[in-house]
Structures are given as C-alpha cells and as structure tokens.
Amino acid sequence: MSRIAANPIPYWSKAGKTREVFEEAFRDFQAIGFTATKADVPDGMTVDEYREWIAGFGLAPALSLFNSPFDETVDMAAEVERARHFAGQQVALGLDRTMVSSMALPARIARPAVGADFDAGRLDRAIDNVGTVCRVLRAEGLWPLHHSHVGGVFETGDEITRLLDDLGPDVIGAGPDTGHLAWAGVDPAAFIRRYADRLGGIHIKDVFPLQGLPELSYPELAATKRLWAEPGLGVVDFQAVLDAIPASYDGDFMIEVDEPSVASKAESHRISYKWAVSFLAGRIS
C-alpha cells in the first residue's frame, strides 16, 4: 500500500528552508492528517535529529528529490559527491528510492514548457550526466526515478523519453509529475502507461486550463495563482492517471501544489488531502 505524502514547497519556496518555516508546514500537516512528508534534511541537522524532529509532528520521511541542472554549468565531480552524501542521508532515513530532476535553464524559465533554446549537444551531455549520478545513487542503495519538470533540460516529451530510453531501466526509473507533464503537453496517463514497469513514485499535481495561460515567465505565471491547482480543481484527468498506475505500485502519492490557488497554504493542503483520501481510497495505507 502507498502513502499520501506532502511536499512543503509552498512554505519554503520564498521563505527559505529554515527550521521555523518547516515547523509551520509540519504543524499544518499534522492538523490536516498527513503522516509523511518529503525527506529534506536541513543543513546543520543530523539524520537522527531530523527523524526525531518530524516524528514529533506524527510524520515519517517520504520520497525526496535530487536536483541538478545536469548541463554544461555543472561540476560533475562535485555533483557526484553531493549525490553520494544525499543518498547516504536518504538510506539512513529508511528510504530506498529518490526522484532525480533537472532545473532550471534561464531560457526555459523565461519561456516555459515549449523547449526553448534546445541544444542537441546539451541534451546528450545532460543524459550522460544523469546516468553518472544515477549510477552513484544506485551504488549507495537508492533507486533513482526521473522527475519531469518544466524549466529543466528534460522539459518536453521528446527530451524526457530520450533520457529514459537511452539510459534504460537498469539505470533510471520513472517518477512523473502529472502537472509538469500536462503543462509541457504530455498526457500524464499515456506517459505512465508507457513506463508503468519503471514507476516508483509520483507527484500528484494539477494545472488550470493551459489554453488560458498568458505568455509570461515561469515565476510570473506561478504568481498569478492560475497555474497550479489543488488536485481535482484543474484539467489533469486523474481517473485516467490512476487507471494507468499498475496494481503493484508501492510508491508514495506526493501531493505538491507549488503555489496554492487559495490564500492559505494550510487550506490548500487541506483541500488536497481531503481529495486524495477520497480519490485514492483502496490504494493508500
């Protein structure tokens, strides 16, 4: 059985990953009923301290994410060491998988979801770099899952499938984000069916009608509060998504609303949790 987990990204995306910010999120999650949160050990805190800290709010560590541009700006020796340290923390927390994501290319932040400034050489290099990091994560005991994200080098459907197909299932699995896929013009359900045997995690994210989005940068679009929607309030066909997920799936259902469409972060998570408990009944513990 899977868990409903929460990513506190709307709490820290502007305020930073401070203890006070996380505690606000964790208090809200506890009051709402969440029992798991994205494993994100703050700097200066040990794994044991983190585990005890979130347990005080009734929370367990859930699927996290390793992020890198993976492009020509990256020092791969440093990224390998960062991946090894990250994996050690995650394994010590009892986790056996992680998402791996690429963000953020300046041209794609300025013109999101259309594959701006495509460079074939950059894509080839990024695929090699992801492969290097994934092999490090696997050697440390983590199953890496590609997490789709608008703004990164793997933004469009063609770029994402190139990555997954070139590296293959022995190197990387799939950890899709339904909202980011939909925004980039990829049918989330069809994508999940294609990679069902590699599915290890999923971010449950919704978007408002895409045809209504103005031509703004990624941050400008998010600030309108008409980009991301609480699950069930947007255009993603979650019934098709759920039907595409194999019965054997044992990963988390991670709720993620980067910029809530409602005034309160707590209310956004309350809406999301209520929807998830009802919609995912029978698939969650």
Side-chain angles (χ1 to χ4, degrees):
M1 300 293 283
S2 301
R3 302 176 297 181
I4 301 173
N7 184 349
I9 185 171
Y11 291 84
W12 59 254
S13 61
K14 296 184 181 71
K17 294 183 177 182
T18 68
R19 186 181 184 104
E20 292 74 22
V21 167
F22 277 125
E23 285 187 347
E24 178 190 359
F26 296 159
R27 285 193 297 271
D28 287 347
F29 293 170
Q30 182 179 36
I32 291 165
F34 285 102
T35 58
T37 187
K38 175 178 176 281
D40 204 349
V41 182
D43 291 340
M45 184 177 288
T46 69
V47 167
D48 288 341
E49 288 169 342
Y50 176 77
R51 184 189 297 106
E52 182 178 356
W53 180 40
I54 67 172
F57 299 93
L59 298 169
L63 182 67
S64 194
L65 182 146
F66 181 87
N67 174 48
S68 169
F70 289 116
D71 63 7
E72 65 277 6
T73 66
V74 172
D75 177 344
M76 282 306 296
E79 289 299 84
V80 163
E81 288 309 308
R82 192 166 67 88
R84 188 171 286 119
H85 174 74
F86 172 84
Q89 287 185 325
Q90 297 297 303
V91 171
L93 287 170
L95 298 167
D96 65 354
R97 64 196 72 181
T98 185
M99 289 188 173
V100 175
S101 187
S102 64
M103 50 182 118
L105 300 181
R108 296 188 171 189
I109 296 301
R111 294 180 56 234
V114 296
D117 193 32
F118 174 78
D119 183 295
R122 176 192 290 135
L123 179 61
D124 290 343
R125 184 184 303 108
I127 291 172
D128 288 343
N129 289 345
V130 171
T132 296
V133 165
C134 285
R135 292 180 182 94
V136 170
L137 295 172
R138 292 188 75 97
E140 297 296 321
L142 279 185
W143 179 23
L145 313 167
H146 179 252
H147 174 70
S148 43
H149 201 288
V150 166
V153 68
F154 308 107
E155 180 179 68
T156 67
D158 288 345
E159 292 163 347
I160 296 167
T161 55
R162 263 287 311 276
L163 170 72
L164 291 171
D165 294 351
D166 282 12
L167 292 182
D170 291 339
V171 175
I172 191 168
D177 181 300
T178 56
H180 279 287
L181 285 172
W183 187 14
V186 181
D187 178 354
F191 179 87
I192 291 168
R193 284 194 299 272
R194 176 170 178 167
Y195 296 105
D197 61 341
R198 296 164 70 171
L199 185 68
I202 187 169
H203 278 192
I204 298 296
K205 184 180 287 183
D206 210 346
V207 291
F208 285 110
L210 300 169
Q211 64 271 22
L213 295 178
E215 292 187 6
L216 300 173
S217 70
Y218 191 144
E220 289 169 338
L221 281 168
T224 68
K225 289 186 171 287
R226 301 307 296 170
L227 173 58
W228 304 122
E230 285 69 28
L233 300 183
V235 299
V236 172
D237 185 348
F238 282 109
Q239 187 58 59
V241 167
L242 191 60
D243 291 345
I245 296 174
S248 59
Y249 175 71
D250 64 352
D252 295 324
F253 290 95
M254 179 75 70
I255 298 294
E256 189 177 78
V257 186
D258 293 15
E259 180 65 46
S261 72
V262 295
S264 162
K265 294 184 285 289
E267 181 60 19
S268 173
H269 282 87
R270 191 173 295 110
I271 292 168
S272 300
Y273 183 78
K274 182 179 180 180
W275 173 88
V277 168
S278 175
F279 188 78
L280 298 172
R283 299 296 297 267
I284 54 175
S285 56

